[in-house]
Amino acid sequence: MRRISGKAKDETLIELQSARAADESSGNGSLSERAPLPGNTEERRRAFEANLEKRGLELETEDKSDSKDQKTYFLKIHAPRDVLATYADVLKIKVPFKKSDIPQSQDVALEWLTQPFRLPGNIMHPEPDYFTYHFDKTKTDFFLIGDKDTFFPPSTRNRIVFYILSRCAYYKEGQKDREKTGIKRLLSNGTYTAAFPLHDCRYWKKGRNAEERYNLYKHWARFLCFYKEQPLNLIKKYYGEKIGIYFAWLGFYTEMLFLAAVVGLICFIYGVLSYDDNITSKEICDPKIGGSIMMCPLCDKNCTFWRLDSTCLSSWQSHLFDNEATVFFAMFMGIWVTLFLEFWKRRQARLEYEWDLVDFEEEQQELQTRPEFEIKCTNRRLNKITQEMEPYLPLHTRCARYCLSGATVTFWISLILACITGVIAYRLAVYASFASIIGNHKGESGNHKNKTLLVGGLITPQLATSVTASCINFVIIMILNFFYEKVAIWITDMEIPKTHLEYENRLITKMFMFQFVNYYSSCFYVAFFKGKFVGYPGNYTYMFGKWKKFRNEECDPGGCLIELTTQLLIVMAGKQLWGNIQEALLPLMRNWWSSRKGRHNPENHYSRWEQDHVLQNFSQLGLFYEYLEMVIQFGFITLFVASFPLAPLLALFNNILEIRVDAWKFTTQFRRPVASKARNIGAWQEILNSVAILSVVTNAFIMAFTSDMIPRMVYLYAYSNSTSMKGYINSSLSEYRIPIRPQNMTEDNWFRHFNTTCRYRDYRHPPGHKNEYTHTMQFWHILAAKMAFIIIMEHVVFVVKFFIAWMIPDVPSDVKARIKRERYLIQEHLHNYEVERLKLQLSASFITEPQTSETSLTPDKHEVLSECL
């Protein structure tokens, strides 16, 4: 087996874990001579490695005696230049053929303002700008081949090696078994235990001839660089386009969040500054107005009558988020999300060109076929294109699997809804307890009750119930999420998707459907159902029927918006906090000892491949979870942002940390992933578009039915005598004659009160009216105003959205010009190249001197360049 020297940066590693019997033997350097292993395993290894050498790869085995644990063999793989050139031709990899002659546009006027946020030029642009074309091994002198060792970047080299590994057979010559192909199957059946490319150097120290990982850590992965731009070109060069496009999207999303966060903060500040102008809250807190209004009990049996001024603090809190600026912010976010998606398309188009992805096409279906599909599908049929027998899944089997998969997804979504129903039942059950405890403590006096009086004065029964229910709901969400991730992967595997792209898209659909219901259902309940189907005293609506005594919840006199804010804040902030703990603290604790051990041991005692071996494996679905986390956050800041203008600010702080945490994980905690190409964010783009459209509808309904803005506007312009909000509280409360029906009696001596009526939140005729307890005309005016507001807001925002989408082209004009220029130059240079080659051939045919050769007529530059490969 050939030895490899001085080529560590090009190596791809296969790790082999020996059996217990081998640990006790004196293993030699050759795999064929080590301790006995199961016959099939040893045979597969020999055949696979022999076929790799036939493909031109160079192999070198590190014996287990040289490893630190004395148990693990390492097989190092190197691809020589001629192998790289051959497969670059096969994979149609784009390489430079001419330096770009299009000048770069530079903003010199305000460049000094952005200087603190910029990185050094060699980090941001590690390579010059070239026009590129698909590599052709027969035309090597056509391309600009500089340094022969670095002509193919690291991501391209490890992609080529993995391409060979995934398609190399492990059956002997003369046999043909298509199922015995690829490193993935060898990993799944235990022949090898891991396969991964090596990092080029340590992240804390430069290598001899490699420093990309070190530069990524120094300028990107450290948290102190949080205000700096990301070195996207270096990320793409080291990790590949698929990981590069993720960080480009995450960075652009974070930049756009800055605008939304600033506007949201301004709206919140407006709510704070207009604190003293809130006439509605002043009336509630006024002892002569709110203190004189006796409210009907909010629950049966344990709840007492209560005075309106007890919700004084809650009404002030509601005003911070439920004010005139909230309407503007809801409409602004509908436009912001369109700007984000449209500008991202332009950013994505620019990256597609810069990263040579314009003409990128997915590999043929046969090359994309998952090994699991070929193994599990025993049926074969003739492929009309390749004229070869290929595996397929019969229609009846596919339908049965889809039905089982759909039933499983439906069951889990139903389980979520059942848990949400349980949380609602909890809210109804404990509300009476909170109302009784807090209400009784408010009525007591004495120094020994001072602490309880303070708590009772700050916390209303609605707020206490909402906070505890939100915390319980968050715990349920995380538990269900933990189990469903495993279920979703299981049912997707059961469906046996044919290609990796199909597998990923199906898993995305299932996981997002589940996460959507899991995370947002409680917010939908508070926003659109709570307080909407209550009834009125004497004729209340019950959740499970009157025999269960679970009376539907009522909103606070200030509205349900503050409860939606509480729910959103707890779930969103809790998810972000838990996600950061999982991503940063747990890996840090798990790998601290290994990292310290690797740093303080010299390389001759602890080799580079062993240092990479102890790192975590980056799975194929690694980016899937990163995208999912951000898309769920995107839903929080768009679907319910009208209730919490500070949500974009929280998301901004989280994403600034998220970028650096993800960069730190990739640079220090993960093995180097196999580079793969992607021209966009895939199915996530359509999900973002769907959430953006739905957000316009949800925010319109929140402003109309959850916020108290529309009733206040109707009163101001239609019912107020003084064109002010004075008297609004009295107008928004209806009267009910005491006594209440026996089944709704409270246990206190209500008959001792001087009041003969109590008030409740609704617009109904008073007792004694010919249509008593039926809705007043004001109710219908408000309902009409709400529906009109929804229609107007939706149409205005949608018109502006579609106008912006029409006005902003998906591809920038300069990128279009560059693409046209590159295609023109390709045709021109290929034509000139073929003409020159033809001239050389014709001139050589007329030369009779034997010492004269074609190469003597070739320009020196072309001769030197062609020798590089």
mmCIF file with all atom_site columns, all heavy atoms in Angstrom, residues 358-375:
data_model
loop_
_atom_site.group_PDB
_atom_site.id
_atom_site.type_symbol
_atom_site.label_atom_id
_atom_site.label_alt_id
_atom_site.label_comp_id
_atom_site.label_asym_id
_atom_site.label_entity_id
_atom_site.label_seq_id
_atom_site.pdbx_PDB_ins_code
_atom_site.Cartn_x
_atom_site.Cartn_y
_atom_site.Cartn_z
_atom_site.occupancy
_atom_site.B_iso_or_equiv
_atom_site.pdbx_formal_charge
_atom_site.auth_seq_id
_atom_site.auth_comp_id
_atom_site.auth_asym_id
_atom_site.auth_atom_id
_atom_site.pdbx_PDB_model_num
ATOM 1   N N   . VAL A 1 358 ? -25.106 29.347 -11.217 1.00 0.00 ? 358 VAL A N   1
ATOM 2   C CA  . VAL A 1 358 ? -26.162 29.786 -12.131 1.00 0.00 ? 358 VAL A CA  1
ATOM 3   C C   . VAL A 1 358 ? -26.669 28.632 -12.969 1.00 0.00 ? 358 VAL A C   1
ATOM 4   O O   . VAL A 1 358 ? -27.873 28.431 -13.131 1.00 0.00 ? 358 VAL A O   1
ATOM 5   C CB  . VAL A 1 358 ? -25.642 30.930 -13.029 1.00 0.00 ? 358 VAL A CB  1
ATOM 6   C CG1 . VAL A 1 358 ? -26.692 31.299 -14.068 1.00 0.00 ? 358 VAL A CG1 1
ATOM 7   C CG2 . VAL A 1 358 ? -25.299 32.142 -12.180 1.00 0.00 ? 358 VAL A CG2 1
ATOM 8   N N   . ASP A 1 359 ? -25.749 27.860 -13.519 1.00 0.00 ? 359 ASP A N   1
ATOM 9   C CA  . ASP A 1 359 ? -26.137 26.724 -14.367 1.00 0.00 ? 359 ASP A CA  1
ATOM 10  C C   . ASP A 1 359 ? -26.082 25.409 -13.608 1.00 0.00 ? 359 ASP A C   1
ATOM 11  O O   . ASP A 1 359 ? -26.056 24.336 -14.219 1.00 0.00 ? 359 ASP A O   1
ATOM 12  C CB  . ASP A 1 359 ? -25.203 26.639 -15.585 1.00 0.00 ? 359 ASP A CB  1
ATOM 13  C CG  . ASP A 1 359 ? -25.288 27.888 -16.444 1.00 0.00 ? 359 ASP A CG  1
ATOM 14  O OD1 . ASP A 1 359 ? -26.399 28.437 -16.565 1.00 0.00 ? 359 ASP A OD1 1
ATOM 15  O OD2 . ASP A 1 359 ? -24.250 28.328 -16.976 1.00 0.00 ? 359 ASP A OD2 1
ATOM 16  N N   . PHE A 1 360 ? -26.068 25.509 -12.287 1.00 0.00 ? 360 PHE A N   1
ATOM 17  C CA  . PHE A 1 360 ? -25.979 24.291 -11.485 1.00 0.00 ? 360 PHE A CA  1
ATOM 18  C C   . PHE A 1 360 ? -27.286 23.514 -11.563 1.00 0.00 ? 360 PHE A C   1
ATOM 19  O O   . PHE A 1 360 ? -28.369 24.052 -11.372 1.00 0.00 ? 360 PHE A O   1
ATOM 20  C CB  . PHE A 1 360 ? -25.678 24.636 -10.033 1.00 0.00 ? 360 PHE A CB  1
ATOM 21  C CG  . PHE A 1 360 ? -25.788 23.469 -9.087  1.00 0.00 ? 360 PHE A CG  1
ATOM 22  C CD1 . PHE A 1 360 ? -24.862 22.450 -9.107  1.00 0.00 ? 360 PHE A CD1 1
ATOM 23  C CD2 . PHE A 1 360 ? -26.840 23.385 -8.188  1.00 0.00 ? 360 PHE A CD2 1
ATOM 24  C CE1 . PHE A 1 360 ? -24.966 21.386 -8.241  1.00 0.00 ? 360 PHE A CE1 1
ATOM 25  C CE2 . PHE A 1 360 ? -26.953 22.326 -7.312  1.00 0.00 ? 360 PHE A CE2 1
ATOM 26  C CZ  . PHE A 1 360 ? -26.011 21.320 -7.341  1.00 0.00 ? 360 PHE A CZ  1
ATOM 27  N N   . GLU A 1 361 ? -27.187 22.249 -11.862 1.00 0.00 ? 361 GLU A N   1
ATOM 28  C CA  . GLU A 1 361 ? -28.341 21.368 -11.911 1.00 0.00 ? 361 GLU A CA  1
ATOM 29  C C   . GLU A 1 361 ? -28.094 20.182 -10.988 1.00 0.00 ? 361 GLU A C   1
ATOM 30  O O   . GLU A 1 361 ? -26.960 19.750 -10.806 1.00 0.00 ? 361 GLU A O   1
ATOM 31  C CB  . GLU A 1 361 ? -28.599 20.870 -13.334 1.00 0.00 ? 361 GLU A CB  1
ATOM 32  C CG  . GLU A 1 361 ? -28.956 21.987 -14.308 1.00 0.00 ? 361 GLU A CG  1
ATOM 33  C CD  . GLU A 1 361 ? -29.186 21.447 -15.701 1.00 0.00 ? 361 GLU A CD  1
ATOM 34  O OE1 . GLU A 1 361 ? -29.006 20.222 -15.884 1.00 0.00 ? 361 GLU A OE1 1
ATOM 35  O OE2 . GLU A 1 361 ? -29.514 22.236 -16.596 1.00 0.00 ? 361 GLU A OE2 1
ATOM 36  N N   . GLU A 1 362 ? -29.180 19.685 -10.419 1.00 0.00 ? 362 GLU A N   1
ATOM 37  C CA  . GLU A 1 362 ? -29.048 18.510 -9.559  1.00 0.00 ? 362 GLU A CA  1
ATOM 38  C C   . GLU A 1 362 ? -28.539 17.327 -10.385 1.00 0.00 ? 362 GLU A C   1
ATOM 39  O O   . GLU A 1 362 ? -28.805 17.216 -11.591 1.00 0.00 ? 362 GLU A O   1
ATOM 40  C CB  . GLU A 1 362 ? -30.405 18.152 -8.942  1.00 0.00 ? 362 GLU A CB  1
ATOM 41  C CG  . GLU A 1 362 ? -30.988 19.221 -8.049  1.00 0.00 ? 362 GLU A CG  1
ATOM 42  C CD  . GLU A 1 362 ? -30.215 19.370 -6.752  1.00 0.00 ? 362 GLU A CD  1
ATOM 43  O OE1 . GLU A 1 362 ? -29.423 18.472 -6.431  1.00 0.00 ? 362 GLU A OE1 1
ATOM 44  O OE2 . GLU A 1 362 ? -30.392 20.402 -6.093  1.00 0.00 ? 362 GLU A OE2 1
ATOM 45  N N   . GLU A 1 363 ? -27.812 16.466 -9.737  1.00 0.00 ? 363 GLU A N   1
ATOM 46  C CA  . GLU A 1 363 ? -27.321 15.282 -10.429 1.00 0.00 ? 363 GLU A CA  1
ATOM 47  C C   . GLU A 1 363 ? -28.488 14.420 -10.875 1.00 0.00 ? 363 GLU A C   1
ATOM 48  O O   . GLU A 1 363 ? -29.612 14.560 -10.398 1.00 0.00 ? 363 GLU A O   1
ATOM 49  C CB  . GLU A 1 363 ? -26.413 14.477 -9.492  1.00 0.00 ? 363 GLU A CB  1
ATOM 50  C CG  . GLU A 1 363 ? -25.181 15.250 -9.062  1.00 0.00 ? 363 GLU A CG  1
ATOM 51  C CD  . GLU A 1 363 ? -24.409 14.505 -7.991  1.00 0.00 ? 363 GLU A CD  1
ATOM 52  O OE1 . GLU A 1 363 ? -25.025 13.688 -7.293  1.00 0.00 ? 363 GLU A OE1 1
ATOM 53  O OE2 . GLU A 1 363 ? -23.227 14.750 -7.863  1.00 0.00 ? 363 GLU A OE2 1
ATOM 54  N N   . GLN A 1 364 ? -28.224 13.558 -11.794 1.00 0.00 ? 364 GLN A N   1
ATOM 55  C CA  . GLN A 1 364 ? -29.275 12.685 -12.304 1.00 0.00 ? 364 GLN A CA  1
ATOM 56  C C   . GLN A 1 364 ? -29.864 11.860 -11.174 1.00 0.00 ? 364 GLN A C   1
ATOM 57  O O   . GLN A 1 364 ? -29.221 11.569 -10.174 1.00 0.00 ? 364 GLN A O   1
ATOM 58  C CB  . GLN A 1 364 ? -28.705 11.759 -13.378 1.00 0.00 ? 364 GLN A CB  1
ATOM 59  C CG  . GLN A 1 364 ? -28.161 12.501 -14.591 1.00 0.00 ? 364 GLN A CG  1
ATOM 60  C CD  . GLN A 1 364 ? -27.548 11.555 -15.605 1.00 0.00 ? 364 GLN A CD  1
ATOM 61  O OE1 . GLN A 1 364 ? -27.569 10.334 -15.416 1.00 0.00 ? 364 GLN A OE1 1
ATOM 62  N NE2 . GLN A 1 364 ? -27.007 12.102 -16.668 1.00 0.00 ? 364 GLN A NE2 1
ATOM 63  N N   . GLN A 1 365 ? -31.148 11.472 -11.360 1.00 0.00 ? 365 GLN A N   1
ATOM 64  C CA  . GLN A 1 365 ? -31.850 10.736 -10.311 1.00 0.00 ? 365 GLN A CA  1
ATOM 65  C C   . GLN A 1 365 ? -31.110 9.465  -9.921  1.00 0.00 ? 365 GLN A C   1
ATOM 66  O O   . GLN A 1 365 ? -31.063 9.085  -8.758  1.00 0.00 ? 365 GLN A O   1
ATOM 67  C CB  . GLN A 1 365 ? -33.271 10.384 -10.793 1.00 0.00 ? 365 GLN A CB  1
ATOM 68  C CG  . GLN A 1 365 ? -34.191 11.581 -10.899 1.00 0.00 ? 365 GLN A CG  1
ATOM 69  C CD  . GLN A 1 365 ? -34.470 12.199 -9.547  1.00 0.00 ? 365 GLN A CD  1
ATOM 70  O OE1 . GLN A 1 365 ? -34.765 11.501 -8.592  1.00 0.00 ? 365 GLN A OE1 1
ATOM 71  N NE2 . GLN A 1 365 ? -34.367 13.516 -9.465  1.00 0.00 ? 365 GLN A NE2 1
ATOM 72  N N   . GLU A 1 366 ? -30.503 8.834  -10.877 1.00 0.00 ? 366 GLU A N   1
ATOM 73  C CA  . GLU A 1 366 ? -29.793 7.594  -10.567 1.00 0.00 ? 366 GLU A CA  1
ATOM 74  C C   . GLU A 1 366 ? -28.625 7.865  -9.621  1.00 0.00 ? 366 GLU A C   1
ATOM 75  O O   . GLU A 1 366 ? -28.344 7.079  -8.720  1.00 0.00 ? 366 GLU A O   1
ATOM 76  C CB  . GLU A 1 366 ? -29.283 6.965  -11.863 1.00 0.00 ? 366 GLU A CB  1
ATOM 77  C CG  . GLU A 1 366 ? -28.532 5.649  -11.641 1.00 0.00 ? 366 GLU A CG  1
ATOM 78  C CD  . GLU A 1 366 ? -27.987 5.077  -12.928 1.00 0.00 ? 366 GLU A CD  1
ATOM 79  O OE1 . GLU A 1 366 ? -28.177 5.707  -13.982 1.00 0.00 ? 366 GLU A OE1 1
ATOM 80  O OE2 . GLU A 1 366 ? -27.378 4.005  -12.879 1.00 0.00 ? 366 GLU A OE2 1
ATOM 81  N N   . LEU A 1 367 ? -27.948 9.005  -9.806  1.00 0.00 ? 367 LEU A N   1
ATOM 82  C CA  . LEU A 1 367 ? -26.817 9.339  -8.959  1.00 0.00 ? 367 LEU A CA  1
ATOM 83  C C   . LEU A 1 367 ? -27.278 9.849  -7.598  1.00 0.00 ? 367 LEU A C   1
ATOM 84  O O   . LEU A 1 367 ? -26.520 9.818  -6.642  1.00 0.00 ? 367 LEU A O   1
ATOM 85  C CB  . LEU A 1 367 ? -25.952 10.397 -9.644  1.00 0.00 ? 367 LEU A CB  1
ATOM 86  C CG  . LEU A 1 367 ? -25.373 10.014 -11.014 1.00 0.00 ? 367 LEU A CG  1
ATOM 87  C CD1 . LEU A 1 367 ? -24.511 11.135 -11.544 1.00 0.00 ? 367 LEU A CD1 1
ATOM 88  C CD2 . LEU A 1 367 ? -24.573 8.725  -10.925 1.00 0.00 ? 367 LEU A CD2 1
ATOM 89  N N   . GLN A 1 368 ? -28.514 10.327 -7.515  1.00 0.00 ? 368 GLN A N   1
ATOM 90  C CA  . GLN A 1 368 ? -29.038 10.816 -6.254  1.00 0.00 ? 368 GLN A CA  1
ATOM 91  C C   . GLN A 1 368 ? -29.705 9.729  -5.430  1.00 0.00 ? 368 GLN A C   1
ATOM 92  O O   . GLN A 1 368 ? -30.052 9.958  -4.284  1.00 0.00 ? 368 GLN A O   1
ATOM 93  C CB  . GLN A 1 368 ? -30.090 11.909 -6.513  1.00 0.00 ? 368 GLN A CB  1
ATOM 94  C CG  . GLN A 1 368 ? -29.512 13.223 -6.981  1.00 0.00 ? 368 GLN A CG  1
ATOM 95  C CD  . GLN A 1 368 ? -30.585 14.287 -7.045  1.00 0.00 ? 368 GLN A CD  1
ATOM 96  O OE1 . GLN A 1 368 ? -31.749 14.025 -6.800  1.00 0.00 ? 368 GLN A OE1 1
ATOM 97  N NE2 . GLN A 1 368 ? -30.199 15.485 -7.392  1.00 0.00 ? 368 GLN A NE2 1
ATOM 98  N N   . THR A 1 369 ? -29.925 8.574  -6.002  1.00 0.00 ? 369 THR A N   1
ATOM 99  C CA  . THR A 1 369 ? -30.687 7.529  -5.324  1.00 0.00 ? 369 THR A CA  1
ATOM 100 C C   . THR A 1 369 ? -30.058 7.177  -3.974  1.00 0.00 ? 369 THR A C   1
ATOM 101 O O   . THR A 1 369 ? -28.848 6.943  -3.873  1.00 0.00 ? 369 THR A O   1
ATOM 102 C CB  . THR A 1 369 ? -30.755 6.266  -6.201  1.00 0.00 ? 369 THR A CB  1
ATOM 103 O OG1 . THR A 1 369 ? -31.361 6.608  -7.441  1.00 0.00 ? 369 THR A OG1 1
ATOM 104 C CG2 . THR A 1 369 ? -31.575 5.193  -5.512  1.00 0.00 ? 369 THR A CG2 1
ATOM 105 N N   . ARG A 1 370 ? -30.902 7.138  -2.950  1.00 0.00 ? 370 ARG A N   1
ATOM 106 C CA  . ARG A 1 370 ? -30.426 6.801  -1.614  1.00 0.00 ? 370 ARG A CA  1
ATOM 107 C C   . ARG A 1 370 ? -30.105 5.302  -1.539  1.00 0.00 ? 370 ARG A C   1
ATOM 108 O O   . ARG A 1 370 ? -30.846 4.473  -2.086  1.00 0.00 ? 370 ARG A O   1
ATOM 109 C CB  . ARG A 1 370 ? -31.492 7.149  -0.569  1.00 0.00 ? 370 ARG A CB  1
ATOM 110 C CG  . ARG A 1 370 ? -31.850 8.615  -0.521  1.00 0.00 ? 370 ARG A CG  1
ATOM 111 C CD  . ARG A 1 370 ? -33.033 8.870  0.378   1.00 0.00 ? 370 ARG A CD  1
ATOM 112 N NE  . ARG A 1 370 ? -32.769 8.506  1.755   1.00 0.00 ? 370 ARG A NE  1
ATOM 113 C CZ  . ARG A 1 370 ? -33.465 7.607  2.442   1.00 0.00 ? 370 ARG A CZ  1
ATOM 114 N NH1 . ARG A 1 370 ? -34.466 6.960  1.874   1.00 0.00 ? 370 ARG A NH1 1
ATOM 115 N NH2 . ARG A 1 370 ? -33.171 7.346  3.695   1.00 0.00 ? 370 ARG A NH2 1
ATOM 116 N N   . PRO A 1 371 ? -29.028 4.938  -0.861  1.00 0.00 ? 371 PRO A N   1
ATOM 117 C CA  . PRO A 1 371 ? -28.715 3.507  -0.711  1.00 0.00 ? 371 PRO A CA  1
ATOM 118 C C   . PRO A 1 371 ? -29.842 2.740  -0.031  1.00 0.00 ? 371 PRO A C   1
ATOM 119 O O   . PRO A 1 371 ? -30.098 1.585  -0.364  1.00 0.00 ? 371 PRO A O   1
ATOM 120 C CB  . PRO A 1 371 ? -27.442 3.522  0.148   1.00 0.00 ? 371 PRO A CB  1
ATOM 121 C CG  . PRO A 1 371 ? -26.842 4.866  -0.072  1.00 0.00 ? 371 PRO A CG  1
ATOM 122 C CD  . PRO A 1 371 ? -27.990 5.796  -0.301  1.00 0.00 ? 371 PRO A CD  1
ATOM 123 N N   . GLU A 1 372 ? -30.533 3.378  0.933   1.00 0.00 ? 372 GLU A N   1
ATOM 124 C CA  . GLU A 1 372 ? -31.640 2.709  1.626   1.00 0.00 ? 372 GLU A CA  1
ATOM 125 C C   . GLU A 1 372 ? -32.758 2.346  0.648   1.00 0.00 ? 372 GLU A C   1
ATOM 126 O O   . GLU A 1 372 ? -33.399 1.306  0.799   1.00 0.00 ? 372 GLU A O   1
ATOM 127 C CB  . GLU A 1 372 ? -32.192 3.617  2.724   1.00 0.00 ? 372 GLU A CB  1
ATOM 128 C CG  . GLU A 1 372 ? -31.215 3.920  3.853   1.00 0.00 ? 372 GLU A CG  1
ATOM 129 C CD  . GLU A 1 372 ? -30.284 5.053  3.527   1.00 0.00 ? 372 GLU A CD  1
ATOM 130 O OE1 . GLU A 1 372 ? -30.313 5.544  2.378   1.00 0.00 ? 372 GLU A OE1 1
ATOM 131 O OE2 . GLU A 1 372 ? -29.516 5.440  4.421   1.00 0.00 ? 372 GLU A OE2 1
ATOM 132 N N   . PHE A 1 373 ? -32.985 3.177  -0.360  1.00 0.00 ? 373 PHE A N   1
ATOM 133 C CA  . PHE A 1 373 ? -34.025 2.888  -1.354  1.00 0.00 ? 373 PHE A CA  1
ATOM 134 C C   . PHE A 1 373 ? -33.654 1.651  -2.167  1.00 0.00 ? 373 PHE A C   1
ATOM 135 O O   . PHE A 1 373 ? -34.489 0.775  -2.423  1.00 0.00 ? 373 PHE A O   1
ATOM 136 C CB  . PHE A 1 373 ? -34.211 4.101  -2.269  1.00 0.00 ? 373 PHE A CB  1
ATOM 137 C CG  . PHE A 1 373 ? -35.274 3.919  -3.320  1.00 0.00 ? 373 PHE A CG  1
ATOM 138 C CD1 . PHE A 1 373 ? -36.611 4.152  -3.030  1.00 0.00 ? 373 PHE A CD1 1
ATOM 139 C CD2 . PHE A 1 373 ? -34.932 3.516  -4.607  1.00 0.00 ? 373 PHE A CD2 1
ATOM 140 C CE1 . PHE A 1 373 ? -37.582 3.984  -3.991  1.00 0.00 ? 373 PHE A CE1 1
ATOM 141 C CE2 . PHE A 1 373 ? -35.893 3.345  -5.580  1.00 0.00 ? 373 PHE A CE2 1
ATOM 142 C CZ  . PHE A 1 373 ? -37.236 3.582  -5.273  1.00 0.00 ? 373 PHE A CZ  1
ATOM 143 N N   . GLU A 1 374 ? -32.399 1.572  -2.564  1.00 0.00 ? 374 GLU A N   1
ATOM 144 C CA  . GLU A 1 374 ? -31.970 0.436  -3.377  1.00 0.00 ? 374 GLU A CA  1
ATOM 145 C C   . GLU A 1 374 ? -31.966 -0.860 -2.574  1.00 0.00 ? 374 GLU A C   1
ATOM 146 O O   . GLU A 1 374 ? -32.234 -1.935 -3.116  1.00 0.00 ? 374 GLU A O   1
ATOM 147 C CB  . GLU A 1 374 ? -30.576 0.713  -3.942  1.00 0.00 ? 374 GLU A CB  1
ATOM 148 C CG  . GLU A 1 374 ? -30.549 1.897  -4.900  1.00 0.00 ? 374 GLU A CG  1
ATOM 149 C CD  . GLU A 1 374 ? -29.170 2.136  -5.469  1.00 0.00 ? 374 GLU A CD  1
ATOM 150 O OE1 . GLU A 1 374 ? -28.226 1.480  -4.985  1.00 0.00 ? 374 GLU A OE1 1
ATOM 151 O OE2 . GLU A 1 374 ? -29.029 2.957  -6.385  1.00 0.00 ? 374 GLU A OE2 1
ATOM 152 N N   . ILE A 1 375 ? -31.676 -0.767 -1.275  1.00 0.00 ? 375 ILE A N   1
ATOM 153 C CA  . ILE A 1 375 ? -31.626 -1.974 -0.440  1.00 0.00 ? 375 ILE A CA  1
ATOM 154 C C   . ILE A 1 375 ? -33.035 -2.487 -0.140  1.00 0.00 ? 375 ILE A C   1
ATOM 155 O O   . ILE A 1 375 ? -33.325 -3.681 -0.255  1.00 0.00 ? 375 ILE A O   1
ATOM 156 C CB  . ILE A 1 375 ? -30.860 -1.681 0.864   1.00 0.00 ? 375 ILE A CB  1
ATOM 157 C CG1 . ILE A 1 375 ? -29.382 -1.412 0.553   1.00 0.00 ? 375 ILE A CG1 1
ATOM 158 C CG2 . ILE A 1 375 ? -30.997 -2.835 1.842   1.00 0.00 ? 375 ILE A CG2 1
ATOM 159 C CD1 . ILE A 1 375 ? -28.584 -0.971 1.757   1.00 0.00 ? 375 ILE A CD1 1
#
